[in-house]
Amino acid sequence: MAGSMRPAGDYRTSYQTDRTIFPTRGSAIVCVIAVVALCVLPMQFGAKPLVASYWLALIIQIAYYGIAALGLNILVGFTGQISLGHSAFFGFGAFMSAYLSGRHGVPVALSIPAAGIATGLLGVIVGLPAGRLKGLYLAIATLASQFVLQDFFSRATWFTGGASGANAPSFSLFGFALSGDRSYYYVVLFYLVVMYVFAANLMRTRDGRAMVALRDHYLSAEVMGINLTYYRILAFGISSFYAGVGGALMAHYIGFVSAEAFDLLLSINFLAMVIIGGLGSVMGSLMGAVFILFLPEFMQGIVRMVQGMGLGQGASFTDGLAYLKEMAIGLAIVLFLLFEPEGLAARWRKIKSYWKLYPFSY
């Protein structure tokens, strides 16, 4: 009888069990089912697709923005650094992939990871001075990199096309073009799964634990022998690599890259994804991307409902809608900081814990 009894609670006896990706077999099964379900979404059953093209395009956007947001979370959430120039690295990856594939004939399948590597090297260069800064000074340094790269995008016509922008060729593999939403979806999904699995494994390694130690208490980490400058620069490089891959995926999906798309507002949106999803959470980055990209759709649905009731008509109401959408993101950040500072990922963990302990409240 005693041998068949299972211990109550959640016991961790080693680093391996503490940092495992799937704490239970059930969580691993759920993850596999989720990936299989995502693979089924673009398929057609008969003449009718399972998911409309509009929503499929939105899911593709969530994927490449989610990859970039995860890179920022590695820097901000796991390492405790701050960056206000993430959209500039996102744009650099987009332009680099378009430059390699469009002007030098590099296959798109190779130009996307190459753009990520090039952006990662750029992040290391930016991280060299930032590696010795923290707090407000680091925020100002990364903000300066945002404006420097924006100016570079508008002036370097040989690289970005200047004001005219740059064309990005369609993705093709072994002679098969994967340009439509239902084909390119699988390319983005592949990168999404690979990048998230890599990040989850990174946090289990010695380097990942060193980054977390740097975030929690950098003086104690330094006393333990952790090289603060090295890991700060490494975090910038990894974060920029993720941003570059996400930007490259976006470039070849849209087919055109323009410098105006990578402004400071996009950097704020990336920060919003990280804050709302949950600082220091791999899956929270994707949750934040889903929230931020679905928020305008939710606001649009409310507006349509109000208009259907005959309460919102006229040009003034339409103009106010654009401001309302922008205000909704800022309001969401404030509300999450006040009432849910740990983000959606923490709330999801609390919900799972509640049902795990139900009907007990402790």
Side-chain angles (χ1 to χ4, degrees):
M1 180 68 178
S4 62
M5 295 179 63
R6 300 179 63 183
D10 187 10
Y11 295 98
R12 307 294 174 90
T13 58
S14 66
Y15 276 119
Q16 184 177 3
T17 57
D18 185 60
R19 303 304 299 175
T20 182
I21 298 179
F22 303 112
T24 63
R25 182 179 298 179
S27 61
I29 294 174
V30 170
C31 185
V32 172
I33 292 175
V35 172
V36 172
L38 288 173
C39 292
V40 173
L41 286 182
M43 296 182 179
Q44 290 184 331
F45 294 92
K48 187 176 181 180
L50 185 62
V51 177
S53 297
Y54 176 81
W55 296 108
L56 199 62
L58 190 60
I59 294 173
I60 292 174
Q61 293 179 47
I62 290 171
Y64 58 69
Y65 279 126
I67 291 173
L70 177 57
L72 184 61
N73 208 347
I74 292 174
L75 180 65
V76 178
F78 287 102
T79 315
Q81 305 285 78
I82 183 68
S83 176
L84 297 177
H86 200 62
S87 72
F89 297 102
F90 186 77
F92 185 85
F95 280 117
M96 176 59 73
S97 188
Y99 176 76
L100 292 175
S101 59
R103 300 200 180 186
H104 294 280
V106 178
V108 177
L110 298 178
S111 69
I112 292 176
I117 294 172
T119 311
L121 293 176
L122 178 64
V124 169
I125 295 173
V126 173
L128 288 174
R132 297 185 178 275
L133 301 174
K134 58 182 176 23
L136 179 62
Y137 299 100
L138 179 59
I140 294 174
T142 56
L143 183 62
S145 67
Q146 167 74 34
F147 290 113
V148 168
L149 286 174
Q150 274 189 256
D151 185 69
F152 172 75
F153 293 157
S154 61
R155 295 177 184 273
T157 56
W158 59 271
F159 180 65
T160 65
S164 301
N167 293 319
S170 300
F171 190 96
S172 61
L173 188 65
F174 303 118
F176 296 97
L178 302 174
S179 56
D181 287 350
R182 301 191 182 277
S183 299
Y184 194 72
Y185 171 89
Y186 290 104
V187 177
V188 178
L189 180 62
F190 169 79
Y191 275 97
L192 179 71
V193 173
V194 169
M195 300 295 273
Y196 270 73
V197 170
F198 175 80
N201 278 286
L202 173 65
M203 293 304 112
R204 302 168 60 209
T205 64
R206 181 182 183 276
D207 291 334
R209 295 197 297 269
M211 291 179 185
V212 174
L214 191 155
R215 175 201 66 189
D216 291 341
H217 203 293
Y218 70 94
L219 290 178
S220 300
E222 190 173 20
V223 170
M224 294 170 61
I226 295 175
N227 189 329
L228 303 185
T229 302
Y230 169 77
Y231 282 106
R232 284 171 177 166
I233 295 174
L234 178 64
F236 265 97
I238 296 174
S239 174
S240 301
F241 171 77
Y242 272 74
V245 171
L249 290 170
M250 185 207 71
H252 295 290
Y253 173 63
I254 298 176
F256 179 78
V257 190
S258 177
E260 290 79 10
F262 312 108
D263 55 3
L264 182 61
L265 180 60
L266 182 57
S267 291
I268 300 301
N269 284 340
F270 281 131
L271 275 175
M273 294 175 192
V274 171
I275 293 171
I276 292 173
L279 290 168
S281 171
V282 173
M283 191 53 61
S285 305
L286 187 59
M287 291 181 175
V290 171
F291 184 93
I292 291 298
L293 289 174
F294 269 101
L295 184 60
E297 302 298 326
F298 176 75
M299 298 301 298
Q300 184 70 34
I302 294 178
V303 170
R304 289 173 181 171
M305 182 179 66
V306 172
Q307 289 177 335
M309 298 170 60
L311 301 177
Q313 303 293 336
S316 59
F317 182 80
T318 304
D319 294 338
L321 174 61
Y323 294 103
L324 184 64
K325 289 181 178 180
E326 299 298 334
M327 291 171 57
I329 296 177
L331 181 62
I333 296 175
V334 173
L335 291 177
F336 267 88
L337 289 174
L338 289 175
F339 301 106
E340 199 65 59
E342 295 182 346
L344 293 172
R347 175 52 54 187
W348 174 242
R349 287 194 296 268
K350 292 175 183 177
I351 293 173
K352 289 194 300 182
S353 298
Y354 173 81
W355 289 108
K356 185 177 181 180
L357 299 174
Y358 185 83
F360 304 103
S361 59
Y362 51 83

